[in-house]
Amino acid sequence: GACGFGEYGRNISSGNVAGVYRLYKNGVGCGACYQVRCTTNPQICTKKGVNVVVTDYGQGDNTDFILSHHAYEAMARPGTADRLLAYGVVDVEYQRVPCQYVGHKIQVKVHEYSRKPDYLAIIMLYQAGKSDILSVDIWQQGKWVEMRRSFGAVFDMPNPPLGAISLRFKVQDNAGIKWPKAVIPRNWKAGVAYDTDIQLQ
């Protein structure tokens, strides 16, 4: 999807994913989690609804969310999914909720578009909590240099530094701005996700 997550964006949260319109925020909204529940018919809609992860941009007819089929059905009471699907578009209530990925800290994935040593593109996976990643800086020639937001949640840079790559993330949460740091090993490869010690709240 438009966030650039690839297969991760299809399978994360058991496939309970969504495209959003206003909440996309030029890609800053990618990876955010929302509780969405339909209000069209209380005989069909559960009170709990479904928790979804934003993995795409979607603009419909006055819609805030375009849910995956799996997520849409999860808003229905047992045995009523077909009736809910028949509506097509339903009224919903939603709120931002913390993303929870048990056993995972943030991973920095070197995007498949990367070409060593000429071009580096990265994306963050398992963005827990209610935090937004606003920007990413890379340590180059003795100073922090801001990477470009290429599209969605993908940040890139031509001619990245040789050797291990130091990164810092500008993260906003309820407590304000933070700058957690991570390192990609010198032998990085396109398509590989690297673990960090970063745990967002």
Side-chain angles (χ1 to χ4, degrees):
C3 288
F5 287 129
E7 281 302 304
Y8 168 92
R10 186 190 312 271
N11 300 315
I12 193 68
S13 189
S14 302
N16 290 330
V17 297
V20 293
Y21 173 40
R22 286 177 284 267
L23 299 170
Y24 183 72
K25 299 185 256 183
N26 292 324
V28 174
C30 292
C33 293
Y34 291 88
Q35 180 188 35
V36 182
R37 69 185 192 96
C38 60
T39 59
T40 299
N41 186 335
Q43 294 180 330
I44 298 174
C45 302
T46 66
K47 290 182 179 180
K48 183 179 179 183
V50 61
N51 285 6
V52 296
V53 181
V54 173
T55 61
D56 204 352
Y57 174 88
Q59 186 173 357
D61 182 20
N62 195 31
T63 57
D64 289 308
F65 292 86
I66 298 177
L67 300 176
S68 66
H69 188 87
H70 189 270
Y72 192 95
E73 286 187 330
M75 292 192 299
R77 295 181 182 276
T80 66
D82 288 344
R83 292 172 62 193
L84 184 61
L85 286 168
Y87 280 98
V89 177
V90 294
D91 293 330
V92 297
E93 295 177 343
Y94 63 89
Q95 64 177 341
R96 179 112 183 236
V97 294
C99 297
Q100 297 179 339
Y101 303 112
V102 177
H104 289 283
K105 294 183 179 179
I106 279 205
Q107 291 182 346
V108 178
K109 180 181 179 184
V110 176
H111 204 279
E112 287 83 358
Y113 295 161
S114 299
R115 297 179 310 277
K116 191 173 186 179
D118 303 317
Y119 175 73
L120 173 66
I122 61 169
I123 191 164
M124 276 58 69
L125 310 180
Y126 301 108
Q127 180 181 329
K130 291 170 68 174
S131 304
D132 292 328
I133 297 175
L134 303 179
S135 63
V136 179
D137 293 347
I138 195 166
W139 186 254
Q140 187 175 41
Q141 297 179 339
K143 62 181 179 180
W144 290 108
V145 178
E146 186 172 345
M147 299 181 77
R148 178 182 71 132
R149 185 183 289 273
S150 175
F151 70 96
V154 179
F155 296 87
D156 69 357
M157 168 178 269
N159 304 311
L162 300 176
I165 295 178
S166 296
L167 303 168
R168 71 174 186 179
F169 308 93
K170 186 178 183 181
V171 176
Q172 184 170 29
D173 60 18
N174 292 335
I177 300 293
K178 298 177 181 176
W179 290 92
K181 296 176 183 176
V183 176
I184 300 174
R186 62 181 301 130
N187 60 342
W188 58 265
K189 293 180 174 62
V192 177
Y194 298 98
D195 293 325
T196 75
D197 290 327
I198 301 171
Q199 182 71 61
L200 299 181
Q201 301 298 320

